[in-house]
Amino acid sequence: MADIQEHKATVAKYASNINTAALDKMAKNYALVLSNKDSQFVSCGDESERDTVRENFLKKKLALTNSDADLNAAIDTVCATMKEDRFKSRLAFYYLLADKYNKLGIFA
């Protein structure tokens, strides 16, 4: 099972100029999710998982009102960005989405 530091290292692979305050707060907020082997990773191949990311993270947590098509495209982009990782860290996935929409301030 990956620990928080491994998830943070994954973020560093994909993001330059990391907002460490936001990343630390995200790690704290999602510590329980990240400690559970069934929820610490995002499965891009699972449509229901992608819907959950869109509905619970992008719409509820980040309060985005973009169309589902736009939000799905953002999820697709992060899936493509992280394609070399068989197991996509939820922390890294969420960080990249929050960064794309300039919403890291929610966590900082």
Side-chain angles (χ1 to χ4, degrees):
M1 190 175 336
D3 69 8
I4 296 294
Q5 293 308 316
E6 289 176 69
H7 288 286
K8 287 181 176 182
T10 302
V11 173
K13 278 176 39 180
Y14 298 107
S16 55
N17 302 322
I18 294 173
N19 180 330
T20 53
L23 182 58
D24 288 344
K25 185 142 186 217
M26 286 179 86
K28 184 177 179 186
N29 284 354
Y30 294 105
L32 187 61
V33 170
L34 297 174
S35 69
N36 181 327
K37 69 180 179 115
D38 291 331
S39 62
Q40 66 180 314
F41 301 109
V42 173
S43 172
C44 286
D46 182 347
E47 189 173 339
S48 67
E49 170 78 10
R50 294 158 58 101
D51 290 347
T52 298
V53 170
R54 185 188 66 232
E55 298 300 319
N56 293 344
F57 184 70
L58 294 176
K59 289 184 178 180
K60 289 181 182 172
K61 186 67 177 180
L62 300 186
L64 296 174
T65 57
N66 306 49
S67 70
D68 283 358
D70 179 63
L71 299 176
N72 289 339
I75 292 168
D76 290 344
T77 298
V78 174
C79 285
T81 298
M82 297 182 72
K83 71 178 179 256
E84 72 179 58
D85 289 338
R86 181 166 181 242
F87 296 103
K88 291 159 185 55
S89 161
R90 187 168 301 274
L91 180 63
F93 205 92
Y94 284 4
Y95 182 93
L96 294 173
L97 286 170
D99 189 33
K100 174 185 175 29
Y101 288 105
N102 298 311
K103 294 286 193 172
L104 290 172
I106 290 172
F107 301 99

